Amino acid sequence: MVGLPETDGPRKIISDAWDYKGHPAARAQTGGWASAAMILVVELNERLTTLGIAVNLVTYLTGTMHLNNVEAANVVTNFMGTSFMLCLLGGFVADTFLGRYLTIAIFAAVQATGVTILTISTAVAGLRPPACRPTAACVRASRTQLGLLYLALYLTALGTGGLKSSVPGFGSDQFDESDRREKKKMMQFFNWFFFFISLGSLLAVTVLVYVQDELGRRWGYGACAVAIVAGLAIFLSGTRRYRFKKLVGSPLTQIAAVVTAAWRKRRLELPADPTLLYDVDVSPVAGGKQRLPHTKQFRFLDHAAINDDPTTNQTRWQLSTLTDVEEVKNVTRMLPIWATTIIFWTVYAQMTTFSVSQATTMDRYIGSSFHIPAGSLTAFFVGSILITIPIYDRIIVPIARRLSGNPQGLTPLQRIGIGLIFSCLAMVAAALIEIKRLHVASQVGLTTTNKVSIVPLSVFWLVPQFLLVGAGVAFTYIGQLDFFLRECPKGMKTMSTGLFISTLSLGFFISSALVSIVHKVTEKGGNGAWLTNNLNHGKLYNFYWLLSILSLVNFAIYLVVARWYIYNDHPIVVADDSITGLQLTEAKAY
């Protein structure tokens, strides 16, 4: 019978999963590929929608809503940053209150609502300012028009946060990890999950962006709204076949409880012998945890495990186990690595903002008829990721194994470091290409006139910066996931995804802050603003030089903290609900 374990005999019921009626899940009637396929459709539509809006949004904000380049860039980065940051909220809600199924269903409906409002705002003439006239200044969008646009964007971001945090985990729930054959299928699920992310991204930056530019935004966003609703309908149709797991609680609650208990008992004296601190027997089977040895770092947190009243039943907010405390310490030790990866995503943010703005000013024709949408340049970024991953797997890893003796090839921190170098090189390339673009613009007199004309320079000059950032993502993205999954304690595996995603979010927010600061400082400096509405009058290359310097300084700091960090040397069984499905069976000090 297909799907039965090879070692433990036939089992028709899965012990840790339930069907939609709350009964133990029957293997033959629930889960498997029939369920997982319907969940993958939701991921495809989420990626198509979120990226399809983000990569081409800056041109809509400047060309239709008549915002300047600085405002438009910040709207895009704030939208993306909020989308990623809300993944923490979505994960907390799913783990603590709703469960993954209801979280997906509710947040998909929220995203569909946001995209529908966005479609309406682009279709109704009164919800956007009138088109520019040659004889008059462009009319900026009103507060009401912008308010409706922002409502649509942030409802979409809220939906994205809930979906992104729950879809991969719920997909993995459809396979029984204790069954060898189903566990293999689970690995295949994560491969297909990555494929659907890539497919959605490619469709967004090619087909969807083309529809937006050539047929109109209302058609492009309308297609997204229809896709989200259709995906939700398909997802709900599989309700009778899904396998459901019990709520596990959020690791954010554990961290808050440890910190609160430590603060309440901060005046108590710590025992000289750490074995006197409160702890309980834990096992991977019973509690999903491992007993961790006591460490001397961050001893303040040890106060949380002081049992000052053994006769009273204390809550977790009053008394934490030593194992819980050590898990929080473990996460704290990872924070320097976490902090030094944020600037990478600040560089990444430029691929959806100023790089797209550059593309709008350049020759985007192939031959005499086909016109490349500015946002479609992101296809080179996506393609670079897809090319770099097999090159790394088939070429770099075997060479690194022979040179270092490490069976993994490169360690997670080495992979992250290489990605940081690529981000530095990308900004150097972007600065040099912008200098070249301005030189050509100067030759045809576009730097001394307010006339908006296309610079006679092929848009393909921008390809190197997209390729370099894409290669950097292939190293840093997977390196971060590997690191956080490997090093997070088993009882806090969902926290690993949250830590990773928060670096993306903060990278976008830092980009917004940096753009605002640079614009204000250079505008008042008397030497001309770097970031102007007409790029031919600005000094965007200086902004790129600044990012390259910040990236280089960040890389130097990263080398210090990476050298300081010591890998965990205890066995770790990795949870299978990570967003990539990396199965790391053991974490050793390399």
Side-chain angles (χ1 to χ4, degrees):
M1 184 176 178
V2 177
L4 293 180
E6 299 174 2
T7 58
D8 56 358
R11 287 189 304 156
K12 296 182 178 180
I13 299 297
I14 301 174
S15 60
D16 65 341
W18 290 263
D19 63 18
Y20 75 104
K21 292 183 177 179
H23 302 149
R27 186 181 302 278
Q29 282 78 43
T30 62
W33 277 116
S35 300
M38 290 181 277
I39 298 170
L40 287 173
V41 172
V42 177
E43 177 59 29
L44 172 67
N45 292 342
E46 181 278 318
R47 203 77 300 254
L48 174 71
T49 299
T50 305
L51 192 60
I53 292 173
V55 297
N56 209 28
L57 182 59
V58 70
T59 61
Y60 179 74
L61 294 171
T62 56
T64 301
M65 305 301 281
H66 305 149
L67 274 62
N68 61 48
N69 277 327
V70 171
E71 290 177 296
N74 284 348
V75 169
V76 175
T77 50
N78 287 337
F79 165 67
M80 291 297 289
T82 302
S83 298
F84 289 121
M85 186 61 75
L86 287 173
C87 290
L88 295 175
L89 173 64
F92 178 80
V93 169
D95 289 342
T96 309
F97 301 108
L98 297 179
R100 289 165 177 160
Y101 169 81
L102 280 178
T103 300
I104 293 172
I106 292 172
F107 282 83
V110 170
Q111 188 178 55
T113 302
V115 180
T116 300
I117 295 174
L118 184 62
T119 304
I120 294 172
S121 72
T122 59
V124 178
L127 298 179
R128 61 182 188 273
C132 294
R133 298 178 180 178
T135 58
C138 296
V139 178
R140 175 188 166 90
S142 67
R143 289 185 178 182
T144 301
Q145 292 166 340
L146 288 176
L148 186 65
L149 175 65
Y150 294 155
L151 174 63
L153 290 177
Y154 287 103
L155 280 176
T156 303
L158 178 60
T160 298
L163 291 175
K164 194 177 289 293
S165 62
S166 298
V167 166
F170 192 58
S172 69
D173 288 345
Q174 307 312 306
F175 302 94
D176 181 13
E177 186 181 2
S178 65
D179 182 289
R180 290 185 182 180
R181 294 179 182 178
E182 286 206 19
K183 189 169 184 178
K184 291 178 182 177
K185 292 178 181 178
M186 183 189 296
M187 288 302 302
Q188 294 174 340
F189 167 80
F190 284 113
N191 292 335
W192 280 104
F193 180 76
F194 182 78
F195 172 80
F196 271 74
I197 289 176
S198 303
L199 177 61
S201 299
L202 282 174
L203 290 174
V205 302
T206 53
V207 177
L208 187 57
V209 169
Y210 183 82
V211 170
Q212 291 172 5
D213 280 8
E214 299 300 322
L215 299 181
R217 300 280 173 158
R218 64 183 183 275
W219 292 106
Y221 296 150
C224 287
V226 170
I228 291 292
V229 172
L232 177 58
I234 292 172
F235 174 76
L236 294 176
S237 70
T239 300
R240 293 175 177 269
R241 284 203 56 88
Y242 293 141
R243 294 174 185 169
F244 301 86
K245 300 291 182 73
K246 67 178 181 178
L247 300 179
V248 297
S250 172
L252 292 175
T253 304
Q254 177 181 330
I255 293 175
V258 168
V259 172
T260 300
W263 178 256
R264 284 177 172 176
K265 301 179 181 181
R266 63 190 181 279
R267 294 187 176 88
L268 298 180
E269 184 177 354
L270 287 170
D273 184 0
T275 61
L276 298 177
L277 294 172
Y278 174 72
D279 206 356
V280 294
D281 290 331
V282 290
S283 68
V285 175
K289 292 176 179 285
Q290 293 172 300
R291 182 185 292 278
L292 300 178
H294 178 263
T295 58
K296 295 182 179 180
Q297 287 180 309
F298 313 114
R299 292 204 68 198
F300 168 78
L301 295 175
D302 288 347
H303 287 87
I306 298 176
N307 192 357
D308 58 335
D309 189 4
T311 62
T312 304
N313 249 353
Q314 300 186 62
T315 68
R316 64 188 304 183
W317 297 92
Q318 298 169 318
L319 178 64
S320 300
T321 67
L322 182 59
T323 294
D324 283 345
V325 170
E326 288 300 324
E327 287 183 343
V328 174
K329 286 185 181 181
N330 200 332
V331 173
T332 305
R333 280 190 287 270
M334 298 166 63
L335 292 181
I337 300 295
W338 169 85
T340 49
T341 56
I342 294 173
I343 196 67
F344 175 88
W345 300 106
T346 300
V347 170
Y348 166 86
Q350 310 317 310
M351 297 302 101
T352 58
T353 54
F354 288 115
S355 292
V356 175
S357 294
Q358 284 177 286
T360 62
T361 70
M362 301 171 73
D363 180 9
R364 291 181 278 127
Y365 277 96
I366 296 179
S368 58
S369 57
F370 186 73
H371 190 243
I372 303 173
S376 290
L377 266 291
T378 315
F380 291 99
F381 161 77
V382 177
S384 178
I385 297 174
L386 297 179
I387 292 171
T388 303
I389 290 175
I391 290 176
Y392 172 81
D393 187 55
R394 300 298 179 182
I395 299 176
I396 297 177
V397 168
I399 294 174
R401 282 173 180 165
R402 288 195 296 269
L403 293 177
S404 66
N406 180 2
Q408 192 183 9
L410 298 177
T411 65
L413 294 181
Q414 287 171 339
R415 291 193 71 168
I416 294 172
I418 292 173
L420 297 182
I421 293 173
F422 271 114
S423 70
C424 235
L425 295 176
M427 289 299 94
V428 170
L432 294 176
I433 293 166
E434 176 61 8
I435 291 173
K436 168 72 175 178
R437 193 193 67 82
L438 284 178
H439 177 70
V440 175
S442 177
Q443 288 181 325
V444 296
L446 294 179
T447 56
T448 57
T449 178
N450 290 325
K451 184 180 179 181
V452 179
S453 300
I454 298 299
V455 177
L457 181 68
S458 173
V459 75
F460 292 110
W461 277 87
L462 297 177
V463 169
Q465 62 203 60
F466 284 97
L467 292 180
L468 287 169
V469 172
V473 168
F475 279 93
T476 299
Y477 184 101
I478 299 177
Q480 280 183 281
L481 278 172
D482 194 338
F483 173 75
F484 288 123
L485 286 171
R486 176 187 296 269
E487 297 303 300
C488 260
K490 182 178 183 296
M492 303 183 73
K493 283 303 167 185
T494 53
M495 176 59 66
S496 62
T497 301
L499 283 172
F500 163 68
I501 290 177
S502 66
T503 63
L504 277 76
S505 176
L506 291 173
F508 279 98
F509 287 135
I510 287 176
S511 177
S512 295
L514 192 61
V515 166
S516 296
I517 293 171
V518 166
H519 180 63
K520 288 181 180 179
V521 171
T522 58
E523 190 176 38
K524 296 178 181 179
N527 294 319
W530 292 1
L531 308 174
T532 57
N533 199 35
N534 186 339
L535 291 183
N536 294 332
H537 296 168
K539 300 176 182 178
L540 178 60
Y541 58 87
N542 279 339
F543 182 67
Y544 285 146
W545 284 128
L546 174 62
L547 283 174
S548 65
I549 293 171
L550 291 176
S551 297
L552 186 60
V553 172
N554 178 74
F555 177 67
I557 298 172
Y558 174 81
L559 290 178
V560 174
V561 299
R563 187 176 181 84
W564 166 80
Y565 188 85
I566 299 175
Y567 287 98
N568 294 328
D569 59 0
H570 55 274
I572 295 178
V573 180
V574 175
D576 288 307
D577 59 353
S578 70
I579 64 177
T580 63
L582 293 174
Q583 304 298 304
L584 305 175
T585 58
E586 187 177 9
K588 298 181 178 179
Y590 290 113

